[in-house]
């Protein structure tokens, strides 16, 4: 959660290389780990997520899979904002799901504050 604002700050400053690097090398690996846990929960940890999630489409419901695909964006600034916000929303939903199923604590306050902070960064300077 604490790295998502770095992506947002990069986007706000039009630093697309930096923003995409933070998203793809810092944030996405944690997100993909969470998705692998979801698949594990749903299959009683009996299947492999596969290297880089290559088996994800097989084990995720089609709607979730399509939403995840939308978190991959091109170099357009608005597309990257949309991808980041969707990734954060999915992370929130799936983190809550995994925490409930695995009986792990979930700091909803931290997640919600991070989402709100990224929204503030996006809107900063707008009239």
């Amino acid at each position: 959660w604490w790295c998502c604002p770095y992506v947002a700050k990069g986007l706000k400053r039009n630093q697309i290389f930096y923003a995409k690097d933070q998203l793809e090398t810092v944030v996405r690996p944690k997100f993909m780990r969470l998705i692998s846990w979801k698949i594990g929960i749903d299959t009683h940890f009996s299947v492999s997520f596969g290297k880089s999630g290559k088996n994800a489409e097989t084990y995720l419901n089609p709607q979730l899979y399509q939403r995840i695909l939308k978190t991959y964006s091109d170099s357009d600034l608005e597309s990257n904002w949309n991808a980041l916000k969707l990734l954060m929303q999915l992370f929130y939903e799936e983190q809550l799901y995994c925490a409930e199923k695995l009986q792990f604590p979930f700091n909803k306050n931290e997640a919600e504050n991070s989402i709100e902070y990224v929204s503030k960064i996006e809107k900063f300077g707008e009239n």
Side-chain angles (χ1 to χ4, degrees), residues 35-60:
I35 296 302
S36 74
W37 292 348
K38 179 197 176 23
I39 290 171
I41 290 165
D42 292 346
T43 62
H44 304 287
F45 295 92
S46 64
V47 300
S48 171
F49 177 62
K51 181 168 178 58
S52 301
K54 68 180 180 180
N55 299 326
E57 185 176 13
T58 303
Y59 301 111
L60 294 172

PDB file of all heavy atoms in Angstrom, residues 35-60:
ATOM      1  N   ILE A  35      -2.911 -12.587  -5.853  1.00  0.00           N
ATOM      2  CA  ILE A  35      -3.765 -13.333  -6.775  1.00  0.00           C
ATOM      3  C   ILE A  35      -3.421 -14.821  -6.729  1.00  0.00           C
ATOM      4  O   ILE A  35      -4.311 -15.675  -6.785  1.00  0.00           O
ATOM      5  CB  ILE A  35      -3.655 -12.766  -8.211  1.00  0.00           C
ATOM      6  CG1 ILE A  35      -4.189 -11.317  -8.261  1.00  0.00           C
ATOM      7  CG2 ILE A  35      -4.380 -13.647  -9.222  1.00  0.00           C
ATOM      8  CD1 ILE A  35      -5.627 -11.160  -7.807  1.00  0.00           C
ATOM      9  N   SER A  36      -2.154 -15.135  -6.586  1.00  0.00           N
ATOM     10  CA  SER A  36      -1.774 -16.553  -6.472  1.00  0.00           C
ATOM     11  C   SER A  36      -2.353 -17.159  -5.199  1.00  0.00           C
ATOM     12  O   SER A  36      -2.762 -18.323  -5.186  1.00  0.00           O
ATOM     13  CB  SER A  36      -0.260 -16.726  -6.524  1.00  0.00           C
ATOM     14  OG  SER A  36       0.362 -16.319  -5.328  1.00  0.00           O
ATOM     15  N   TRP A  37      -2.402 -16.378  -4.120  1.00  0.00           N
ATOM     16  CA  TRP A  37      -3.013 -16.869  -2.879  1.00  0.00           C
ATOM     17  C   TRP A  37      -4.511 -17.085  -3.077  1.00  0.00           C
ATOM     18  O   TRP A  37      -5.072 -18.053  -2.578  1.00  0.00           O
ATOM     19  CB  TRP A  37      -2.779 -15.902  -1.737  1.00  0.00           C
ATOM     20  CG  TRP A  37      -1.360 -15.794  -1.276  1.00  0.00           C
ATOM     21  CD1 TRP A  37      -0.310 -16.616  -1.609  1.00  0.00           C
ATOM     22  CD2 TRP A  37      -0.828 -14.814  -0.401  1.00  0.00           C
ATOM     23  NE1 TRP A  37       0.839 -16.183  -0.994  1.00  0.00           N
ATOM     24  CE2 TRP A  37       0.549 -15.077  -0.240  1.00  0.00           C
ATOM     25  CE3 TRP A  37      -1.375 -13.733   0.262  1.00  0.00           C
ATOM     26  CZ2 TRP A  37       1.381 -14.308   0.551  1.00  0.00           C
ATOM     27  CZ3 TRP A  37      -0.548 -12.960   1.060  1.00  0.00           C
ATOM     28  CH2 TRP A  37       0.808 -13.245   1.211  1.00  0.00           C
ATOM     29  N   LYS A  38      -5.168 -16.173  -3.772  1.00  0.00           N
ATOM     30  CA  LYS A  38      -6.596 -16.336  -4.037  1.00  0.00           C
ATOM     31  C   LYS A  38      -6.847 -17.639  -4.786  1.00  0.00           C
ATOM     32  O   LYS A  38      -7.737 -18.412  -4.452  1.00  0.00           O
ATOM     33  CB  LYS A  38      -7.145 -15.158  -4.830  1.00  0.00           C
ATOM     34  CG  LYS A  38      -8.634 -15.320  -5.141  1.00  0.00           C
ATOM     35  CD  LYS A  38      -9.098 -14.425  -6.228  1.00  0.00           C
ATOM     36  CE  LYS A  38     -10.529 -14.614  -6.643  1.00  0.00           C
ATOM     37  NZ  LYS A  38     -11.458 -15.204  -5.718  1.00  0.00           N
ATOM     38  N   ILE A  39      -6.037 -17.872  -5.821  1.00  0.00           N
ATOM     39  CA  ILE A  39      -6.178 -19.117  -6.582  1.00  0.00           C
ATOM     40  C   ILE A  39      -5.921 -20.308  -5.669  1.00  0.00           C
ATOM     41  O   ILE A  39      -6.644 -21.311  -5.713  1.00  0.00           O
ATOM     42  CB  ILE A  39      -5.238 -19.115  -7.806  1.00  0.00           C
ATOM     43  CG1 ILE A  39      -5.743 -18.104  -8.840  1.00  0.00           C
ATOM     44  CG2 ILE A  39      -5.129 -20.511  -8.421  1.00  0.00           C
ATOM     45  CD1 ILE A  39      -4.793 -17.844  -9.987  1.00  0.00           C
ATOM     46  N   GLY A  40      -4.913 -20.194  -4.820  1.00  0.00           N
ATOM     47  CA  GLY A  40      -4.632 -21.269  -3.879  1.00  0.00           C
ATOM     48  C   GLY A  40      -5.808 -21.545  -2.957  1.00  0.00           C
ATOM     49  O   GLY A  40      -6.189 -22.700  -2.751  1.00  0.00           O
ATOM     50  N   ILE A  41      -6.395 -20.502  -2.419  1.00  0.00           N
ATOM     51  CA  ILE A  41      -7.558 -20.663  -1.538  1.00  0.00           C
ATOM     52  C   ILE A  41      -8.693 -21.347  -2.294  1.00  0.00           C
ATOM     53  O   ILE A  41      -9.313 -22.292  -1.801  1.00  0.00           O
ATOM     54  CB  ILE A  41      -8.024 -19.291  -1.004  1.00  0.00           C
ATOM     55  CG1 ILE A  41      -6.994 -18.736  -0.022  1.00  0.00           C
ATOM     56  CG2 ILE A  41      -9.406 -19.390  -0.360  1.00  0.00           C
ATOM     57  CD1 ILE A  41      -7.172 -17.256   0.294  1.00  0.00           C
ATOM     58  N   ASP A  42      -8.962 -20.860  -3.499  1.00  0.00           N
ATOM     59  CA  ASP A  42     -10.093 -21.376  -4.281  1.00  0.00           C
ATOM     60  C   ASP A  42      -9.897 -22.809  -4.752  1.00  0.00           C
ATOM     61  O   ASP A  42     -10.870 -23.497  -5.064  1.00  0.00           O
ATOM     62  CB  ASP A  42     -10.362 -20.469  -5.484  1.00  0.00           C
ATOM     63  CG  ASP A  42     -10.884 -19.100  -5.074  1.00  0.00           C
ATOM     64  OD1 ASP A  42     -11.292 -18.919  -3.894  1.00  0.00           O
ATOM     65  OD2 ASP A  42     -10.884 -18.191  -5.932  1.00  0.00           O
ATOM     66  N   THR A  43      -8.646 -23.268  -4.813  1.00  0.00           N
ATOM     67  CA  THR A  43      -8.366 -24.627  -5.291  1.00  0.00           C
ATOM     68  C   THR A  43      -7.758 -25.501  -4.191  1.00  0.00           C
ATOM     69  O   THR A  43      -7.205 -26.557  -4.489  1.00  0.00           O
ATOM     70  CB  THR A  43      -7.395 -24.588  -6.492  1.00  0.00           C
ATOM     71  OG1 THR A  43      -6.150 -24.022  -6.060  1.00  0.00           O
ATOM     72  CG2 THR A  43      -7.974 -23.797  -7.652  1.00  0.00           C
ATOM     73  N   HIS A  44      -7.864 -25.045  -2.968  1.00  0.00           N
ATOM     74  CA  HIS A  44      -7.287 -25.761  -1.819  1.00  0.00           C
ATOM     75  C   HIS A  44      -5.786 -25.989  -2.019  1.00  0.00           C
ATOM     76  O   HIS A  44      -5.262 -27.039  -1.651  1.00  0.00           O
ATOM     77  CB  HIS A  44      -8.029 -27.068  -1.559  1.00  0.00           C
ATOM     78  CG  HIS A  44      -9.497 -26.868  -1.353  1.00  0.00           C
ATOM     79  ND1 HIS A  44     -10.031 -26.311  -0.219  1.00  0.00           N
ATOM     80  CD2 HIS A  44     -10.558 -27.111  -2.182  1.00  0.00           C
ATOM     81  CE1 HIS A  44     -11.340 -26.227  -0.345  1.00  0.00           C
ATOM     82  NE2 HIS A  44     -11.683 -26.700  -1.519  1.00  0.00           N
ATOM     83  N   PHE A  45      -5.144 -25.020  -2.636  1.00  0.00           N
ATOM     84  CA  PHE A  45      -3.700 -25.049  -2.878  1.00  0.00           C
ATOM     85  C   PHE A  45      -3.265 -26.325  -3.597  1.00  0.00           C
ATOM     86  O   PHE A  45      -2.229 -26.906  -3.305  1.00  0.00           O
ATOM     87  CB  PHE A  45      -2.925 -24.834  -1.568  1.00  0.00           C
ATOM     88  CG  PHE A  45      -3.165 -23.466  -0.992  1.00  0.00           C
ATOM     89  CD1 PHE A  45      -4.179 -23.250  -0.058  1.00  0.00           C
ATOM     90  CD2 PHE A  45      -2.411 -22.385  -1.411  1.00  0.00           C
ATOM     91  CE1 PHE A  45      -4.418 -21.981   0.453  1.00  0.00           C
ATOM     92  CE2 PHE A  45      -2.639 -21.113  -0.900  1.00  0.00           C
ATOM     93  CZ  PHE A  45      -3.649 -20.909   0.030  1.00  0.00           C
ATOM     94  N   SER A  46      -4.079 -26.718  -4.572  1.00  0.00           N
ATOM     95  CA  SER A  46      -3.800 -27.955  -5.304  1.00  0.00           C
ATOM     96  C   SER A  46      -3.290 -27.721  -6.726  1.00  0.00           C
ATOM     97  O   SER A  46      -2.998 -28.685  -7.434  1.00  0.00           O
ATOM     98  CB  SER A  46      -5.074 -28.817  -5.359  1.00  0.00           C
ATOM     99  OG  SER A  46      -6.085 -28.149  -6.098  1.00  0.00           O
ATOM    100  N   VAL A  47      -3.188 -26.459  -7.154  1.00  0.00           N
ATOM    101  CA  VAL A  47      -2.720 -26.172  -8.512  1.00  0.00           C
ATOM    102  C   VAL A  47      -1.621 -25.113  -8.465  1.00  0.00           C
ATOM    103  O   VAL A  47      -1.436 -24.434  -7.459  1.00  0.00           O
ATOM    104  CB  VAL A  47      -3.869 -25.663  -9.425  1.00  0.00           C
ATOM    105  CG1 VAL A  47      -4.978 -26.699  -9.523  1.00  0.00           C
ATOM    106  CG2 VAL A  47      -4.421 -24.332  -8.939  1.00  0.00           C
ATOM    107  N   SER A  48      -0.932 -24.985  -9.574  1.00  0.00           N
ATOM    108  CA  SER A  48       0.129 -23.992  -9.678  1.00  0.00           C
ATOM    109  C   SER A  48      -0.379 -22.754 -10.410  1.00  0.00           C
ATOM    110  O   SER A  48      -1.004 -22.858 -11.476  1.00  0.00           O
ATOM    111  CB  SER A  48       1.317 -24.574 -10.440  1.00  0.00           C
ATOM    112  OG  SER A  48       2.267 -23.560 -10.726  1.00  0.00           O
ATOM    113  N   PHE A  49      -0.082 -21.612  -9.840  1.00  0.00           N
ATOM    114  CA  PHE A  49      -0.359 -20.323 -10.468  1.00  0.00           C
ATOM    115  C   PHE A  49       0.469 -20.186 -11.739  1.00  0.00           C
ATOM    116  O   PHE A  49       0.086 -19.519 -12.685  1.00  0.00           O
ATOM    117  CB  PHE A  49      -0.024 -19.235  -9.438  1.00  0.00           C
ATOM    118  CG  PHE A  49      -0.174 -17.824  -9.874  1.00  0.00           C
ATOM    119  CD1 PHE A  49      -1.398 -17.318 -10.260  1.00  0.00           C
ATOM    120  CD2 PHE A  49       0.919 -16.983  -9.861  1.00  0.00           C
ATOM    121  CE1 PHE A  49      -1.538 -15.986 -10.628  1.00  0.00           C
ATOM    122  CE2 PHE A  49       0.795 -15.655 -10.223  1.00  0.00           C
ATOM    123  CZ  PHE A  49      -0.446 -15.165 -10.612  1.00  0.00           C
ATOM    124  N   GLY A  50       1.618 -20.830 -11.744  1.00  0.00           N
ATOM    125  CA  GLY A  50       2.515 -20.805 -12.880  1.00  0.00           C
ATOM    126  C   GLY A  50       3.468 -19.629 -12.840  1.00  0.00           C
ATOM    127  O   GLY A  50       3.194 -18.608 -12.223  1.00  0.00           O
ATOM    128  N   LYS A  51       4.580 -19.782 -13.517  1.00  0.00           N
ATOM    129  CA  LYS A  51       5.566 -18.706 -13.586  1.00  0.00           C
ATOM    130  C   LYS A  51       4.910 -17.474 -14.187  1.00  0.00           C
ATOM    131  O   LYS A  51       4.261 -17.542 -15.218  1.00  0.00           O
ATOM    132  CB  LYS A  51       6.767 -19.131 -14.420  1.00  0.00           C
ATOM    133  CG  LYS A  51       7.834 -18.054 -14.513  1.00  0.00           C
ATOM    134  CD  LYS A  51       9.113 -18.605 -15.097  1.00  0.00           C
ATOM    135  CE  LYS A  51      10.173 -17.545 -15.249  1.00  0.00           C
ATOM    136  NZ  LYS A  51      10.538 -16.854 -14.041  1.00  0.00           N
ATOM    137  N   SER A  52       5.042 -16.350 -13.492  1.00  0.00           N
ATOM    138  CA  SER A  52       4.461 -15.072 -13.925  1.00  0.00           C
ATOM    139  C   SER A  52       2.950 -15.146 -14.127  1.00  0.00           C
ATOM    140  O   SER A  52       2.382 -14.391 -14.907  1.00  0.00           O
ATOM    141  CB  SER A  52       5.147 -14.586 -15.208  1.00  0.00           C
ATOM    142  OG  SER A  52       6.529 -14.424 -15.005  1.00  0.00           O
ATOM    143  N   GLY A  53       2.307 -16.072 -13.435  1.00  0.00           N
ATOM    144  CA  GLY A  53       0.849 -16.163 -13.511  1.00  0.00           C
ATOM    145  C   GLY A  53       0.313 -16.762 -14.786  1.00  0.00           C
ATOM    146  O   GLY A  53      -0.845 -16.554 -15.136  1.00  0.00           O
ATOM    147  N   LYS A  54       1.124 -17.557 -15.481  1.00  0.00           N
ATOM    148  CA  LYS A  54       0.698 -18.061 -16.785  1.00  0.00           C
ATOM    149  C   LYS A  54      -0.560 -18.926 -16.723  1.00  0.00           C
ATOM    150  O   LYS A  54      -1.262 -19.049 -17.718  1.00  0.00           O
ATOM    151  CB  LYS A  54       1.831 -18.818 -17.479  1.00  0.00           C
ATOM    152  CG  LYS A  54       2.205 -20.129 -16.816  1.00  0.00           C
ATOM    153  CD  LYS A  54       3.325 -20.805 -17.560  1.00  0.00           C
ATOM    154  CE  LYS A  54       3.689 -22.119 -16.887  1.00  0.00           C
ATOM    155  NZ  LYS A  54       4.776 -22.785 -17.593  1.00  0.00           N
ATOM    156  N   ASN A  55      -0.880 -19.482 -15.563  1.00  0.00           N
ATOM    157  CA  ASN A  55      -2.084 -20.306 -15.431  1.00  0.00           C
ATOM    158  C   ASN A  55      -3.264 -19.549 -14.828  1.00  0.00           C
ATOM    159  O   ASN A  55      -4.310 -20.127 -14.569  1.00  0.00           O
ATOM    160  CB  ASN A  55      -1.790 -21.539 -14.573  1.00  0.00           C
ATOM    161  CG  ASN A  55      -0.727 -22.413 -15.181  1.00  0.00           C
ATOM    162  OD1 ASN A  55      -0.619 -22.522 -16.401  1.00  0.00           O
ATOM    163  ND2 ASN A  55       0.084 -23.035 -14.349  1.00  0.00           N
ATOM    164  N   ALA A  56      -3.110 -18.261 -14.606  1.00  0.00           N
ATOM    165  CA  ALA A  56      -4.148 -17.480 -13.916  1.00  0.00           C
ATOM    166  C   ALA A  56      -5.491 -17.540 -14.634  1.00  0.00           C
ATOM    167  O   ALA A  56      -6.534 -17.689 -13.990  1.00  0.00           O
ATOM    168  CB  ALA A  56      -3.700 -16.031 -13.758  1.00  0.00           C
ATOM    169  N   GLU A  57      -5.496 -17.414 -15.932  1.00  0.00           N
ATOM    170  CA  GLU A  57      -6.773 -17.397 -16.665  1.00  0.00           C
ATOM    171  C   GLU A  57      -7.568 -18.674 -16.427  1.00  0.00           C
ATOM    172  O   GLU A  57      -8.796 -18.645 -16.345  1.00  0.00           O
ATOM    173  CB  GLU A  57      -6.527 -17.203 -18.158  1.00  0.00           C
ATOM    174  CG  GLU A  57      -7.814 -17.062 -18.946  1.00  0.00           C
ATOM    175  CD  GLU A  57      -7.584 -16.770 -20.410  1.00  0.00           C
ATOM    176  OE1 GLU A  57      -6.444 -16.908 -20.909  1.00  0.00           O
ATOM    177  OE2 GLU A  57      -8.563 -16.393 -21.077  1.00  0.00           O
ATOM    178  N   THR A  58      -6.875 -19.792 -16.269  1.00  0.00           N
ATOM    179  CA  THR A  58      -7.533 -21.078 -16.044  1.00  0.00           C
ATOM    180  C   THR A  58      -8.276 -21.110 -14.714  1.00  0.00           C
ATOM    181  O   THR A  58      -9.343 -21.716 -14.613  1.00  0.00           O
ATOM    182  CB  THR A  58      -6.483 -22.215 -16.074  1.00  0.00           C
ATOM    183  OG1 THR A  58      -5.809 -22.169 -17.331  1.00  0.00           O
ATOM    184  CG2 THR A  58      -7.121 -23.573 -15.875  1.00  0.00           C
ATOM    185  N   TYR A  59      -7.739 -20.433 -13.694  1.00  0.00           N
ATOM    186  CA  TYR A  59      -8.271 -20.575 -12.341  1.00  0.00           C
ATOM    187  C   TYR A  59      -9.032 -19.368 -11.796  1.00  0.00           C
ATOM    188  O   TYR A  59      -9.605 -19.452 -10.717  1.00  0.00           O
ATOM    189  CB  TYR A  59      -7.137 -20.945 -11.380  1.00  0.00           C
ATOM    190  CG  TYR A  59      -6.475 -22.233 -11.785  1.00  0.00           C
ATOM    191  CD1 TYR A  59      -5.174 -22.244 -12.272  1.00  0.00           C
ATOM    192  CD2 TYR A  59      -7.160 -23.438 -11.725  1.00  0.00           C
ATOM    193  CE1 TYR A  59      -4.566 -23.426 -12.671  1.00  0.00           C
ATOM    194  CE2 TYR A  59      -6.566 -24.622 -12.124  1.00  0.00           C
ATOM    195  CZ  TYR A  59      -5.273 -24.610 -12.594  1.00  0.00           C
ATOM    196  OH  TYR A  59      -4.681 -25.786 -12.984  1.00  0.00           O
ATOM    197  N   LEU A  60      -9.040 -18.276 -12.521  1.00  0.00           N
ATOM    198  CA  LEU A  60      -9.800 -17.094 -12.088  1.00  0.00           C
ATOM    199  C   LEU A  60     -11.118 -17.029 -12.829  1.00  0.00           C
ATOM    200  O   LEU A  60     -11.204 -17.449 -13.991  1.00  0.00           O
ATOM    201  CB  LEU A  60      -9.004 -15.815 -12.362  1.00  0.00           C
ATOM    202  CG  LEU A  60      -7.728 -15.625 -11.565  1.00  0.00           C
ATOM    203  CD1 LEU A  60      -6.955 -14.416 -12.080  1.00  0.00           C
ATOM    204  CD2 LEU A  60      -8.036 -15.467 -10.074  1.00  0.00           C
TER     205      LEU A  60
END
